[in-house]
Amino acid sequence: MSLLLIRHGETQWNAQRRYQGQLDSALTERGIAQAHAIARRLAEIPEFDSAPVVASPLGRARQTAEIICANRKSTSFETDDRLREISLGSWDGLYRDEIEARSSGIFETHGPYEWYFHSTDGERYDAFHARLSAFLEDALARPKLIIVAHGVVSRVLRGLYAGMPREAALSLPVPQDSIFRLSHGQVETLPV
């Protein structure tokens, strides 16, 4: 069993430093180039030539998966709702200062990563963790799988796979130009 985990390419809102949550914005030219670079790097990993691809149904992950699959033997991919990014509720699509204005002290109170789970109408960690745990269990039943998802999803999935504490997992880096290989209980970063 081996999984390859990819974060979608840079989006317009990433470039603007807006928090997308479950809202969407299109890939930038840089994001499209990142997806093409990932596709080329995947071509250098022959054991994944015929591995199925599963993506979040959100547009930025789908667009990244489409670019990746256009360079493969099989151009189709499936989507899985469990791979959606965390919902920030009414904070989806906002800038940091807008979130701070709505919930004064949120970043100081909950730190750089925990705040994601403290919107009054957003997704809580336990629910997010549960849906990703269920996805990972199903993914591990497959011999090989390429996953295209999101930043917070990537952190929690890698943490679950490696048995990391919550705080350590949430602080993992989430580059948009790398592939993470999850195999034999280890997480390896494959630069693109």
Side-chain angles (χ1 to χ4, degrees):
M1 177 293 313
S2 191
L3 308 173
L4 297 181
L5 177 58
I6 298 160
R7 182 180 177 198
H8 62 78
E10 180 190 70
T11 68
Q12 293 170 359
W13 285 7
N14 290 150
Q16 296 168 5
R17 307 206 42 88
R18 288 174 71 174
Y19 294 99
Q20 293 174 113
Q22 291 190 1
L23 295 181
D24 232 335
S25 67
L27 296 184
T28 61
E29 287 184 25
R30 180 179 182 201
I32 291 167
Q34 288 168 333
H36 282 290
I38 286 171
R40 288 189 298 275
R41 181 67 172 97
L42 287 171
E44 298 170 2
I45 310 171
E47 66 266 29
F48 279 87
D49 279 350
S50 59
V53 176
V54 63
S56 159
L58 297 178
R60 57 198 187 265
R62 290 179 63 92
Q63 188 179 4
T64 301
E66 287 167 0
I67 292 168
I68 288 169
C69 288
N71 295 288
R72 297 172 48 81
K73 292 176 186 173
S74 171
T75 58
S76 65
F77 63 93
E78 60 189 90
T79 60
D80 191 313
D81 279 344
R82 296 173 295 181
L83 289 173
R84 287 178 176 271
E85 183 60 293
I86 183 172
S87 169
L88 302 173
S90 57
W91 295 349
D92 281 355
L94 298 183
Y95 293 96
R96 182 183 176 99
D97 61 340
E98 293 173 318
I99 295 170
E100 176 69 32
R102 291 182 181 198
S103 187
S104 181
I106 188 73
F107 299 105
E108 292 77 25
T109 302
H110 296 291
Y113 309 109
E114 275 296 326
W115 70 268
Y116 288 108
F117 307 103
H118 293 278
S119 167
T120 57
D121 56 353
E123 195 168 6
R124 296 290 184 253
Y125 181 82
D126 289 343
F128 188 67
H129 182 275
R131 73 172 157 96
L132 291 177
S133 292
F135 170 80
L136 185 60
E137 183 178 334
D138 291 345
L140 292 174
R142 300 168 90 161
K144 295 205 180 341
L145 188 63
I146 298 170
I147 303 162
V148 183
H150 307 276
V152 182
V153 170
S154 174
R155 287 176 171 144
V156 173
L157 275 178
R158 286 181 283 149
L160 282 166
Y161 182 78
M164 298 174 74
R166 174 176 169 167
E167 184 177 310
L170 290 176
S171 67
L172 289 170
V174 286
Q176 291 169 303
D177 59 354
S178 295
I179 299 168
F180 298 102
R181 183 195 299 259
L182 286 60
S183 184
H184 304 292
Q186 302 294 314
V187 179
E188 174 189 9
T189 304
L190 308 175
V192 174

